[in-house]
Each structure stands twice: as C-alpha cells, then as structure tokens.
Amino acid sequence: VLRREETRNALSPTLLAELERALAWVERAQTVKLLVLQGEGLVFSVGVDLPAVEALPPREAWDFFERGRALIRRLERLNVLTVAAVNGLALGGGFELALACDLRWAHARAVFGFPECKLGLVPGWGGIRLIRRHLPSSLALELLARGDYLGVRAAHAYGMVSRIFEGSDFENQVQAALEELGAGNA
C-alpha cells in the first residue's frame, strides 16, 4: 500500500526506497504468486513528490529518477502476477506504476493521466513506452501531447483497465476478485 495519504500518495525518495525494498523481497520470495499495489485513502498516487525531489541536491534528484525508471522495469519483469488496484487518481509516476502492472483494476472514480505533459515535460519513468503498449498509438500520443486525463470508463473500453468497481467497499471487492482468480491466499 502506498502510504502517504497526506500528500495523496506522492512518490517521495522515502516511498521509492520502500517500494524498492518490497520488490526486492518479492523477487527473493519463493512462495509469493501475487503483488497488489494500492494507494491509501481515495487516491492511488498523484506521482512524484516534486517538492521533496526539488529539495534534493542535483545528483540525488537525478538518482531518484534513475531509480524510478529501474523500479518500473523491475515491476514489469517480476515473476508474479501484479495488480494495480487503482482506487482514485493515478497521475504521472503513479500512472506509470499502474501501467507497469499486469492488470489494472479500478474504482469508478479513478482517473489516469500525465499532468506533467501540460508543463512541456515527458513522463520520467517510461510512461511513453508504457502508455503506447496499452492504448492505440493515436490516442496515446494525443493524451501525451495535450496532457489530457483518461476516465476509468474510457480506460476500460480500450482494455487498459480490466475491471471497474463501484461503491465504498473497494478493498473487499478487490479481495473477492483476487479470490476469483484463485490467488486470494497468495
């Protein structure tokens, strides 16, 4: 669980280190068959915690983005089923985390996008490559060029999200869906 609800689960250097440790543990574990990523509260992740990264010395800030790219690659290559349980906003680096997972299940309030594109920036952790894998090229390029957001229904229609959940019991619905997969005890 991405646990920084006060920052809408923004990806700080500390949270990135926690994700790296969690992936390392999963990579070593022989019995883990499933990894579910979810944000605390009503947001998956709004992406990189820019104030925290801007406070770093330049070399450390560069390293942060390099580590983020490496984390995304590791997540893609994990030898377990990965599910992004997107309970709300998935923006920037948070969207990249979700795209790197095998499956994306989302609450009806979920919204996806790369707001950094509105500032003339590109997604820093491989988002261009990831979005083009999940959406038709013309839609992906338009989404990137304009910095538009994609609602959950459109994401589902394009196959980027495989399940949409309604109501206030998102975690229970995700657990039930995991059990349907036969992975509830993994």
Side-chain angles (χ1 to χ4, degrees):
V1 176
L2 305 173
R3 294 190 195 280
R4 293 193 70 225
E5 191 173 5
E6 71 283 356
T7 65
R8 300 187 314 163
N9 302 320
L11 300 164
S12 67
T14 302
L15 185 53
L16 181 63
E18 290 175 19
L19 286 167
E20 289 169 327
R21 282 191 296 276
L23 285 187
W25 185 86
V26 170
E27 289 166 339
R28 288 189 309 272
Q30 298 295 318
T31 58
V32 175
K33 306 270 189 265
L34 171 72
L35 173 66
V36 178
L37 287 177
Q38 182 175 332
E40 185 174 55
L42 300 178
V43 174
F44 183 73
S45 175
V46 294
V48 170
D49 185 341
L50 290 176
V53 174
E54 289 171 349
L56 296 172
R59 181 64 200 163
E60 288 181 37
W62 178 264
D63 288 345
F64 172 83
F65 285 102
E66 289 294 316
R67 288 173 42 219
R69 279 190 284 280
L71 179 90
I72 293 295
R73 293 280 188 181
R74 285 174 66 194
L75 185 56
E76 288 180 288
R77 290 191 310 260
L78 270 182
N79 198 21
V80 302
L81 180 65
T82 56
V83 178
V86 181
N87 46 333
L89 293 174
L91 304 177
F95 190 17
E96 288 167 308
L97 277 176
L99 288 169
C101 290
D102 299 315
L103 299 173
R104 278 148 306 285
W105 295 347
H107 191 277
R109 71 177 152 262
V111 175
F112 304 88
F114 293 115
E116 60 268 39
C117 294
K118 288 184 179 188
L119 302 173
L121 303 172
V122 296
W125 292 353
I128 293 173
R129 175 182 56 81
L130 293 165
I131 193 74
R132 292 191 68 197
R133 187 179 335 154
H134 294 286
L135 294 177
S137 290
S138 61
L139 177 63
L141 291 172
E142 196 167 319
L143 194 74
L144 290 163
R146 295 193 330 208
D148 286 347
Y149 293 154
L150 189 63
V152 72
R153 303 266 182 239
H156 183 264
Y158 286 110
M160 189 182 83
V161 168
S162 57
R163 291 185 187 220
I164 299 173
F165 301 101
E166 306 273 346
S168 60
D169 59 346
F170 181 70
E171 288 183 34
N172 290 333
Q173 291 174 356
V174 168
Q175 185 59 40
L178 292 171
E179 289 168 8
E180 284 177 24
L181 283 178
N185 295 321

